Amino acid sequence: MKKHRMLWLILLVVMDCCLLVCLWIAGREEAVETSGSGIVIGGVSVSGNQAGVAKKKRIALTFDDGPNPKYTQLLLEGLKQRDVKATFFLIGQEVTEHPDIAKQIAKEGHLIGNHSFYHVDLSALSAREVEEQVGRANEVIYEATGTYPQLLRPPFGRIGKHVICEPPMREVLWTIDSRDWELSDVGTIMENVLPNAKEDAIILMHDASFSSVQAALAIIDTLKERGYIFVTVDEILYDED
Ligand code: NI
């Protein structure tokens, strides 16, 4: 009888230990799942519910020359439907004419950069003129959106010879040129982009025509199916540093 009691006691202790271990493991798993803003994958901090998509390939869409009174809002609507954020390099003069659209771009979570005030070749200007072009565009973008841009896309991709602006702005070019500004055929614009798509690519487009907007949205749909995730260009630039 005494022997039996001993065996029962040992069995109970073993079962208790098992239960404790199980509870400890379950607690750990729950802690990982619910740590809303702190998982680091490959050096990129992502929130808990984005962790599942962190392995997707990043790519950035950039749109130059806006805000455009005819097409920017059409594009914004398409981006919103797809839950995609993009980067818009705005021309200062266009912002003074359409400040509400610039404000809407910012409000909807897209990144805004500077594309000079009059869309001029910065490489042909003096240091003072470059500063005026860039500084003036920064001011009107700030007035419309409440944020100073930190990125500059020099018109025609021609970088200014002079060190410019205080604080200095980072110049951003692109790795894929859609050539949408000279094309009206949606299929051809897509063909210029899709075969060249790869992780961390920066795509140059313009929200300046219906075909550009159509192509951009079709490019998003196709690349999403191929496992790409669309990010603003700063996410790619600053992650490379
Ligand atoms: Ni341009």
Side-chain angles (χ1 to χ4, degrees):
M1 198 61 186
K2 222 174 182 183
K3 204 177 171 186
H4 269 130
R5 219 186 259 172
M6 224 15 217
L7 274 172
W8 271 112
L9 203 63
I10 290 168
L11 197 62
L12 274 173
V13 169
V14 169
M15 280 172 73
D16 274 355
C17 285
C18 284
L19 190 65
L20 280 173
V21 168
C22 286
L23 284 172
W24 179 70
I25 290 169
R28 270 174 58 104
E29 280 171 359
E30 199 179 344
V32 170
E33 276 167 17
T34 54
S35 64
S37 59
I39 301 175
V40 175
I41 295 173
V44 185
S45 184
V46 294
S47 67
N49 50 9
Q50 284 177 321
V53 295
K55 281 177 192 157
K56 286 195 171 186
K57 297 167 280 185
R58 292 179 312 187
I59 199 159
L61 266 173
T62 63
F63 296 94
D64 287 9
D65 297 359
N68 183 294
K70 260 176 135 174
Y71 301 110
T72 301
Q73 282 163 312
L74 193 64
L75 174 64
L76 288 174
E77 190 53 41
L79 294 176
K80 193 191 274 180
Q81 283 168 3
R82 289 161 178 79
D83 195 22
V84 160
K85 302 291 181 245
T87 306
F88 290 77
F89 290 98
L90 304 182
I91 297 174
Q93 189 184 24
E94 299 299 324
V95 174
T96 59
E97 284 172 29
H98 314 289
D100 290 350
I101 305 177
K103 193 175 177 177
Q104 188 185 346
I105 296 171
K107 202 175 149 207
E108 295 187 6
H110 305 287
L111 183 67
I112 291 181
N114 183 322
H115 199 43
S116 82
F117 194 84
Y118 284 125
H119 202 270
V120 287
D121 177 358
L122 298 178
S123 70
L125 301 184
S126 70
R128 194 188 56 76
E129 289 167 330
V130 169
E131 207 169 308
E132 195 185 304
Q133 275 294 317
V134 177
R136 217 172 140 195
N138 273 347
E139 287 301 327
V140 293
I141 290 170
Y142 176 77
E143 275 169 33
T145 67
T147 306
Y148 278 104
Q150 297 186 339
L151 303 176
L152 170 69
R153 172 163 284 162
F156 319 106
R158 295 194 196 120
I159 293 177
K161 286 174 286 196
H162 308 283
V163 177
I164 47 169
C165 301
E166 204 48 58
M169 297 186 74
R170 181 157 178 174
E171 286 170 309
V172 186
L173 297 181
W174 54 87
T175 60
I176 299 175
D177 187 352
S178 69
R179 305 202 68 79
D180 60 337
W181 57 273
E182 60 177 0
L183 297 165
S184 56
D185 179 54
V186 174
T188 314
I189 300 170
M190 290 173 72
E191 270 309 299
N192 286 340
V193 174
L194 294 176
N196 302 312
K198 61 176 185 175
E199 188 166 16
D200 292 340
I202 299 171
I203 304 167
L204 169 64
M205 298 196 79
H206 301 76
D207 45 331
S209 70
F210 188 56
S211 51
S212 282
V213 173
Q214 280 183 305
L217 299 179
I219 285 165
I220 290 170
D221 293 340
T222 308
L223 291 183
K224 269 187 164 182
E225 278 174 19
R226 294 188 195 166
Y228 283 92
I229 183 167
F230 287 84
V231 297
T232 49
V233 78
D234 55 337
E235 284 197 38
I236 289 175
L237 293 175
Y238 295 111
D239 198 38
E240 282 171 355
D241 291 346

